[in-house]
Amino acid sequence: MANLGDIKIETAIDVDEVLDHIKDLETGLNDSNAGAILDGWMVTRLNVNLDWISASRSELQESKSKFKDDSETTKKVEIGLNKLHAVETKIRLMIRCSNELKVKQGQENGNC
C-alpha cells in the first residue's frame, strides 16, 4: 500500500498495514472530544477518513477469499472489519454531534 488513497490488499503484510492505520485512527479519535464543535478542516479530514474506511472495508471483504487458507490472516481481516465499523461509528457520531452543537450553541445536549 503506497498511501492512504491507494488501498490494495495483496499480502498478509497489507492486512497488517490496514490494522496499523486503524489503530492510529482509534488513538487519534480517543484523544479527541466527541462532544466538541469541529472546525471545517477537521470535518474535511474526518470525511477523508470515512472514504478510507469505505475503501478499506471493500478491500478487506474481497481479501477474505484470498486468505481463506490462512487462518491467522483471516482472523486479522475479521478484526479489521469490526474495528472499521467501530471507528466509522465514532467518526459519524463526532460529526453529528458537532453539527447539533453548532445549531444549539450554548444548550446542553444529552445525546453527545
Side-chain angles (χ1 to χ4, degrees):
M1 285 183 340
N3 60 49
L4 187 62
D6 182 22
I7 303 157
K8 194 70 179 160
I9 297 177
E10 298 290 336
T11 68
I13 292 170
D14 295 333
V15 173
D16 289 335
E17 287 181 15
V18 169
L19 289 175
D20 287 343
H21 188 72
I22 295 168
K23 184 178 179 182
D24 292 343
L25 281 174
E26 289 173 323
T27 300
L29 293 173
N30 288 335
D31 288 343
S32 61
N33 183 352
I37 294 177
L38 304 172
D39 292 330
W41 71 268
M42 293 175 179
V43 174
T44 299
R45 185 68 194 145
L46 289 172
N47 281 317
V48 168
N49 285 323
L50 287 173
D51 290 344
W52 182 86
I53 288 168
S54 178
S56 294
R57 180 182 295 112
S58 294
E59 277 294 313
L60 286 172
Q61 287 285 5
E62 289 177 22
S63 73
K64 281 182 173 182
S65 62
K66 189 180 297 181
F67 299 114
K68 65 182 175 197
D69 295 329
D70 180 349
S71 62
E72 182 180 341
T73 302
T74 300
K75 184 176 180 178
K76 288 180 181 180
V77 167
E78 290 299 328
I79 290 168
L81 288 168
N82 290 332
K83 288 184 175 215
L84 281 175
H85 177 73
V87 169
E88 179 182 33
T89 300
K90 176 127 185 181
I91 289 173
R92 291 192 187 285
L93 176 66
M94 289 173 73
I95 293 171
R96 182 181 60 83
C97 288
S98 175
N99 290 338
E100 287 178 7
L101 289 171
K102 286 177 185 175
V103 172
K104 300 176 183 179
Q105 287 240 341
Q107 293 180 4
E108 190 77 15
N109 186 345
N111 293 330
C112 297

